[in-house]
Amino acid sequence: MKMAKFSKFGLSVIAGSALFAMQASAGIITPGNPLGWAGYTYYGSTGTDPGTGASAAITGTYARSGNGSAQLHLDDNLTSEADWAITFGGSASYGLSSLSTLSYDWYRSSTSTTNGIVAPSFALGMTDGTYLIYEYAYNHTGNPVADVWTTENILDGIWWSTGNGTGSCARYGAFTTLSAFNTNCFSGDGSFDTLDMFMGYAYSGTFDGAVDNVVMTVVGGPSLNANFELDQTSVVPEPVSFALVAAGLLGIVAIRRRKR
């Protein structure tokens, strides 16, 4: 899989406050209050070519744990990518060895035509500029169930590296655990400053899906629980809600008439 990322291509990164983002232990991420998170789209071999075949937005299409989720859409996975990511501001970074929890929820729609094994992936952006990437295909047999939200606990999963070194540190050099990468490639001192959930660049066809509820805890440090939701002002009451409001108003009028 190709990782077209903002740091790799020199695009702008999130300059939000790490303290603000990480202290939001039960953070509600909305378009009006993103708490450092942002959606990105990339096109072509450099990631900067113009295109319109990808989108990343908080929508209510595949609502999870509330009224929304972070949707990922691709018209053609071979030429585009969609991401939801946060880069902790300032000099904030966290050691691989200090991670005690790492999980996220993902959703694959049955409208997707790309390879059936594909589900939204997760990447840790390392402070040396490389990425460690978790993919469903390297951790499970069989296709993921479509149209169902799945919670994926990935801390002890199998990952791969975008590194340019040798052996397990080379790109596609090894598929192993975070602890093994930390030992073999970072001398036990690897640290990351970016969380990124993404789809794209590896398979032909279209993809529709979403991610939500990103949970991370660090031993002796902060925690993060990112729940993507729509702003309340953008939520339109359903007809049944209107009916309940109308019934309530009629009840109030009736009570007032009795009192008179």
Side-chain angles (χ1 to χ4, degrees):
M1 170 167 288
K2 179 175 181 178
M3 193 59 181
K5 299 295 298 302
F6 29 89
S7 61
K8 181 177 179 180
F9 293 105
L11 305 181
S12 61
V13 300
I14 305 167
S17 166
L19 182 63
F20 176 71
M22 291 300 289
Q23 283 186 342
S25 59
I28 304 298
I29 315 303
T30 68
N33 188 26
L35 296 180
W37 288 86
Y40 296 87
T41 56
Y42 305 99
Y43 304 93
S45 59
T46 65
T48 59
D49 298 340
T52 58
S55 62
I58 297 176
T59 73
T61 305
Y62 309 115
R64 173 70 161 174
S65 302
N67 62 28
S69 64
Q71 187 173 356
L72 299 170
H73 170 77
L74 298 169
D75 285 341
D76 188 344
N77 287 6
L78 289 175
T79 60
S80 60
E81 178 173 306
D83 297 58
W84 273 99
I86 182 171
T87 294
F88 309 124
S91 59
S93 61
Y94 305 97
L96 285 178
S97 60
S98 67
L99 273 172
S100 60
T101 305
L102 191 62
S103 67
Y104 70 118
D105 294 353
W106 55 261
Y107 184 97
R108 175 191 166 105
S109 171
S110 58
T111 61
S112 303
T113 64
T114 191
N115 191 302
I117 197 68
V118 175
S121 301
F122 193 106
L124 291 174
M126 306 302 292
T127 55
D128 69 347
T130 61
Y131 293 86
L132 299 179
I133 300 174
Y134 177 96
E135 293 190 59
Y136 178 93
Y138 301 124
N139 288 273
H140 302 277
T141 57
N143 294 346
V145 179
D147 301 329
V148 173
W149 276 99
T150 299
T151 298
E152 193 87 0
N153 294 300
I154 61 178
L155 182 61
D156 297 320
I158 301 299
W159 300 63
W160 61 272
S161 173
T162 66
N164 295 313
T166 59
S168 63
C169 305
R171 182 175 173 87
Y172 301 115
F175 297 85
T176 186
T177 62
L178 289 178
S179 59
F181 273 118
N182 193 32
T183 299
N184 298 332
C185 305
F186 301 102
S187 300
D189 195 32
S191 59
F192 63 94
D193 59 10
T194 299
L195 305 181
D196 186 357
M197 296 162 291
F198 68 98
M199 269 301 306
Y201 276 115
Y203 305 97
S204 61
T206 63
F207 180 85
D208 276 297
V211 292
D212 208 345
N213 296 330
V214 184
V215 178
M216 184 188 83
T217 57
V218 176
V219 175
S223 62
L224 178 147
N225 189 340
N227 179 17
F228 296 91
E229 301 291 345
L230 294 172
D231 292 309
Q232 288 300 316
T233 55
S234 65
V235 179
V236 179
E238 297 179 359
V240 66
S241 300
F242 285 121
L244 289 173
V245 171
L249 292 174
L250 289 173
I252 293 172
V253 171
I255 292 171
R256 286 182 177 176
R257 284 179 177 174
R258 288 196 197 100
K259 287 183 177 180
R260 288 177 183 173

